[in-house]
């Protein structure tokens, strides 16, 4: 992304790889403040500081522009620039325009809120946050007019530092824990900005060296991934690409697979870390958590077992073969995850596993689950069949012939059961494992066995592709046909277009020999992202972005498809 390429920070947060905070007016789910805030993602999403541009002692409207390296407020009375010096430090410089840096909320109690004091060691102003457990030190780098309100005051008070308008000024703001030596600038402001631009430019060249005018959103997609990356912290013991630095600031246990695929060729170590993050928290039965973030690991649901599918593709994209130590580790982890489904989620005598809620499938409220939440579904069986076959391949590579045969035979048994139990000759049904009652739906989820590619019988693929065409809109694959009575334009998994379903089906079609249809689906989704950005999902009819507007798996899927399109694979 060139220094001149800009984006809206109401759509994409301004941040820096490794940072646990960002700059954005988005301060909570679907909540947009009037001013830019410093928003932390430690212990949840918390607005900490508010940045209010001012002139002549009054707040003013100053439009904000953002690029990879610089945030800028512009007003007739002057400008304010903000750059990252490092993952935990930002620099702000004003020319003519003043700035009030204040606590995001005035309330301060013994257990919540933000306290302000002046550190006698260096005369810096320090905001401490109960919610994030961090301190935010503001150091004045120029002898410019300023005033402070609320230092050492308790209760509901206005707490701020204001840099006066009509002059030039510069400050640094650092995030840290208990203590740190007085701040010393690493370089002049413009040099810091240049270094930030160079850092991102090098990353861009590493992750998307193939980009061209044919892939116009590749730079912004790369920025979405780069800027959503956090350093190890809390329960995240590896560098992690959050799903967003808006409110979807977690790593969910299937989302991470798509980010790993996008990063594999350019940043293989980060990609490997992304794949393993949920596996670092496997429970004793082998289950992966539903999600992991800085301050919590949730186990109340799981996510679908697409990890065998993802691992096979990840290994093909990595620039070097996986060594035996890593191969052994990932085999053991994938084995435990698969065994969870075979033992904990199959009834005695049943060959097919079941979900306990739509959330387990990742398609939380898909119409498949209108008939019940505890269901044996075709997508789940298909993902496990792929995972079992990948385990067979890994076992053979590691010299365990017996396990290779065992995994292979289990896959064959499950595929036979899938076709015998859930296929009616025209489409797949879901089944209640307790009663055996089957249920039909028009959800795209019922067509996901297309991911099996040429392992699916030709007549089954043909029937599924016929049904798939009812989901194909000008913008891509709707999760519920627009013609369905159950379609909802912003219905989450009941209509909108999603990146993961797109890539899984596109990949299965391609491996099944349906290249033209795979190319068409890829093209429509890429155009959608190039027009509407990298939203969590999209209105299937209009293409408008919905929900969280800076979602990394959407950016990742765009990069995977764009790279394949550019390279002709």
């Amino acid at each position: 992304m060139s220094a001149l390429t800009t984006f809206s920070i109401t759509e994409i947060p301004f941040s820096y790889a490794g940072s646990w905070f960002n700059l954005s007016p988005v301060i909570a789910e679907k909540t947009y403040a009037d001013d830019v805030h410093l928003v932390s993602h430690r212990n949840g999403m918390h607005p900490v500081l508010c940045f209010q541009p001012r002139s002549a002692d009054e707040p003013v409207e100053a439009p904000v522009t953002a690029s990879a390296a610089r945030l800028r407020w512009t007003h007739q009375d002057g400008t304010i620039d903000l750059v990252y010096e490092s993952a935990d430090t930002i620099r702000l410089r004003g020319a003519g325009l003043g700035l009030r840096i204040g606590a995001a909320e005035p309330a301060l109690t013994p257990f919540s809120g933000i306290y302000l004091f002046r550190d006698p060691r260096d005369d810096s102003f320090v905001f401490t946050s109960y919610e994030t457990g961090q301190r935010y030190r503001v150091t004045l780098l120029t002898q410019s007019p300023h005033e402070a309100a609320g230092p050492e005051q308790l209760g509901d008070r206005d707490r701020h530092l204001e840099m006066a308008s009509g002059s030039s000024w510069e400050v640094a703001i650092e995030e840290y824990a208990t203590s740190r030596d007085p701040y010393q600038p690493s370089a002049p402001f413009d040099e810091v900005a240049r270094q930030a631009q160079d850092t991102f430019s090098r990353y861009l060249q590493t992750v998307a060296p193939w980009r061209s005018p044919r892939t116009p959103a590749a730079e912004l997609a790369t920025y979405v991934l780069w800027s959503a990356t956090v350093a190890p912290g809390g329960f995240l013991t590896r560098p992690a690409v959050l799903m967003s630095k808006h409110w979807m600031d977690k790593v969910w246990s299937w989302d991470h697979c798509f980010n790993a695929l996008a990063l594999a060729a350019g940043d293989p170590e980060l990609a490997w870390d992304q794949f393993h993050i949920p596996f670092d928290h496997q429970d004793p039965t082998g289950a992966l958590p539903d999600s992991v973030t800085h301050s919590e690991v949730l186990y109340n649901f799981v996510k679908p077992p697409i990890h065998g599918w993802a691992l096979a593709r990840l290994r093909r994209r990595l620039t070097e073969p996986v060594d035996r130590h890593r191969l052994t580790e990932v085999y053991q982890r994938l084995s435990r995850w698969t065994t969870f489904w075979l033992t904990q989620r199959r009834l005695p005598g049943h060959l097919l596993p079941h979900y306990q809620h739509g959330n387990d499938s990742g398609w939380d409220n898909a119409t498949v689950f209108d008939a019940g939440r505890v269901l044996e579904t075709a997508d789940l069986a298909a993902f496990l069949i792929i995972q079992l076959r990948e385990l067979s391949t890994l076992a053979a590579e590691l010299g365990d012939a017996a396990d290779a045969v065992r995994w292979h035979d289990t896959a064959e048994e499950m595929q036979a059961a899938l076709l015998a139990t859930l296929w009616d000759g025209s489409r797949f049904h879901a089944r209640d494992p307790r009663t055996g009652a089957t249920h039909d739906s028009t959800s795209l989820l019922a067509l996901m066995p297309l991911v099996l590619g040429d392992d699916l019988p030709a007549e089954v693929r043909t029937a599924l592709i016929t049904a798939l065409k009812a989901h194909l809109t000008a913008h891509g694959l709707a999760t519920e046909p627009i013609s369905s009575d159950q379609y909802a334009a912003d219905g989450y998994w009941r209509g909108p277009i999603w990146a993961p379903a797109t890539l899984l089906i596109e990949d299965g079609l391609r491996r099944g020999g349906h290249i033209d249809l795979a190319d068409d689906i890829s093209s429509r989704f890429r155009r959608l992202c190039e027009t509407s950005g990298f939203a969590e999902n999209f209105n299937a009819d209009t293409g408008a972005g919905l929900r969280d507007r800076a979602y990394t798996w959407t950016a990742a899927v765009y990069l995977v498809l764009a790279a394949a399109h550019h390279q002709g694979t």
Side-chain angles (χ1 to χ4, degrees):
M1 182 185 299
S2 74
L4 299 178
T5 302
T6 61
F7 55 87
S8 168
I9 59 169
T10 61
E11 299 282 321
I12 298 172
F14 179 74
S15 195
Y16 189 91
S19 181
W20 276 94
F21 64 84
N22 62 266
L23 289 305
S24 171
V26 181
I27 58 173
E29 182 175 357
K30 302 178 184 177
T31 304
Y32 297 79
D34 292 333
D35 294 308
V36 173
H37 283 62
L38 185 153
V39 181
S40 172
H41 298 275
R42 296 180 188 270
N43 301 322
M45 181 183 184
H46 301 288
V48 179
L49 300 177
C50 174
F51 297 99
Q52 183 186 81
R54 296 174 70 85
S55 182
D57 297 326
E58 295 292 335
V60 296
E61 291 189 13
V64 181
T65 56
S67 67
R70 189 185 300 246
L71 196 69
R72 169 169 286 182
W73 290 259
T74 303
H75 183 265
Q76 63 183 12
D77 292 339
T79 60
I80 301 169
D81 288 318
L82 184 156
V83 299
Y84 271 87
E85 183 175 88
S86 66
D88 62 14
T89 303
I90 55 176
R91 297 265 289 271
L92 294 103
R93 181 177 68 181
L97 198 59
L99 181 69
R100 177 173 290 188
I101 304 168
E105 294 291 340
L108 175 64
T109 77
F111 304 104
S112 65
I114 295 170
Y115 169 68
L116 172 63
F117 69 95
R118 192 158 194 180
D119 192 330
R121 290 199 308 159
D122 57 5
D123 282 336
S124 64
F125 294 86
V126 182
F127 296 86
T128 69
S129 167
Y130 277 95
E131 284 74 17
T132 71
Q134 300 287 294
R135 296 170 179 234
Y136 302 85
R137 179 170 67 187
V138 185
T139 302
L140 307 181
L141 302 183
T142 54
Q143 298 299 315
S144 306
H146 63 275
E147 63 90 15
E152 301 184 50
Q153 300 300 303
L154 305 179
D156 285 6
R157 292 292 298 265
D158 182 21
R159 296 174 178 83
H160 70 253
L161 169 67
E162 184 169 329
M163 306 306 297
S165 59
S167 64
S168 296
W169 54 266
E170 186 176 343
V171 302
I173 302 179
E174 305 161 88
E175 179 189 61
Y176 60 92
T178 304
S179 187
R180 179 179 282 190
D181 287 339
Y183 172 80
Q184 294 294 328
S186 65
F189 188 94
D190 289 332
E191 176 63 16
V192 169
R194 186 192 64 78
Q195 291 173 0
Q197 177 64 45
D198 289 348
T199 297
F200 174 71
S201 295
R202 288 192 298 271
Y203 187 84
L204 172 62
Q205 184 58 26
T206 298
V207 171
W210 40 261
R211 67 195 185 281
S212 76
R214 297 169 59 204
T215 57
E219 295 182 7
L220 193 56
T222 303
Y223 179 78
V224 169
L225 289 170
W226 179 79
S227 63
T229 303
V230 293
F235 286 110
L236 292 167
T237 58
R238 306 169 185 259
V241 181
L242 303 178
M243 295 311 104
S244 174
K245 278 184 179 169
H246 283 155
W247 58 87
M248 300 293 280
D249 55 353
K250 297 183 180 184
V251 176
W252 275 270
S253 292
W254 68 313
D255 309 44
H256 68 109
C257 292
F258 301 95
N259 290 343
L261 293 178
L263 295 168
D267 196 342
E269 285 301 311
L270 185 59
W272 194 249
D273 281 333
Q274 298 325 293
F275 184 81
H276 278 280
I277 284 169
F279 287 96
D280 292 339
H281 299 278
Q282 275 186 290
D283 82 359
T285 69
L288 299 184
D290 183 47
S291 63
V292 184
T293 190
H294 177 271
S295 56
E296 67 178 19
V297 183
L298 299 181
Y299 290 95
N300 52 326
F301 297 108
V302 293
K303 284 293 175 276
I306 67 165
H307 302 82
W309 171 88
L311 180 62
R313 279 137 199 85
L314 178 62
R315 292 178 66 194
R316 288 202 292 268
R317 287 175 167 83
L318 293 173
T319 52
E320 296 183 2
V322 179
D323 64 42
R324 186 176 181 84
H325 172 75
R326 286 188 165 185
L327 206 62
T328 300
E329 179 187 38
V330 76
Y331 172 70
Q332 292 171 344
R333 289 180 158 198
L334 197 64
S335 297
R336 293 179 59 215
W337 175 222
T338 307
T339 300
F340 162 79
W341 288 99
L342 299 179
T343 59
Q344 306 299 314
R345 291 294 181 90
R346 291 202 297 189
L347 268 64
H350 286 227
L351 292 174
L352 297 180
H354 60 267
Y355 292 130
Q356 295 177 343
H357 188 283
N359 289 1
D360 287 344
S361 74
W363 295 49
D364 308 4
N365 67 333
T367 57
V368 167
F369 299 101
D370 288 355
R373 304 291 179 258
V374 180
L375 292 174
E376 296 171 348
T377 65
D379 65 297
L380 175 54
F383 294 144
L384 271 177
I385 290 163
I386 293 173
Q387 192 152 293
L388 287 159
R389 288 177 176 148
E390 180 62 14
L391 282 170
S392 179
T393 298
L394 291 170
E397 288 185 46
L398 293 169
D400 191 337
D403 266 3
V405 170
R406 176 171 63 88
W407 294 123
H408 173 270
D409 289 350
T410 304
E412 293 301 303
E413 290 172 355
M414 190 172 292
Q415 179 150 330
L418 168 65
L419 295 171
T421 306
L422 301 184
W423 180 248
D424 72 354
S426 61
R427 63 185 301 111
F428 284 103
H429 296 276
R431 185 174 76 159
D432 186 322
R434 298 156 296 190
T435 67
T438 58
H439 309 281
D440 194 8
S441 84
T442 52
S443 173
L444 183 64
L445 188 63
L447 308 183
M448 290 307 294
L450 283 166
V451 74
L452 288 166
D454 58 6
D455 285 335
L456 204 61
E459 65 275 13
V460 176
R461 289 204 312 274
T462 298
L464 293 180
I465 288 171
T466 298
L468 184 70
K469 292 175 181 177
H471 293 263
L472 191 57
T473 75
H475 307 290
L477 290 170
T479 45
E480 188 74 22
I482 291 177
S483 60
S484 168
D485 292 340
Q486 296 168 304
Y487 172 82
D490 187 11
Y492 221 49
W493 292 94
R494 302 172 76 90
I497 295 166
W498 288 79
T502 298
L503 185 60
L504 286 160
I505 286 181
E506 187 269 354
D507 177 70
L509 290 170
R510 198 170 296 282
R511 286 183 289 106
H514 302 276
I515 306 301
D516 289 344
L517 182 54
D519 285 345
D520 185 31
I521 289 170
S522 171
S523 176
R524 295 183 196 214
F525 186 79
R526 286 183 283 110
R527 287 198 307 269
L528 176 63
C529 292
E530 289 158 6
T531 301
S532 300
F534 305 104
E536 186 180 352
N537 53 60
F538 302 89
N539 183 304
D541 189 29
T542 67
L546 302 171
R547 308 294 175 119
D548 194 310
R549 303 302 292 276
Y551 214 81
T552 53
W553 75 359
T554 308
V557 168
Y558 176 84
L559 289 171
V560 171
L561 294 175
H565 169 66
H566 182 81
Q567 296 160 359
T569 59

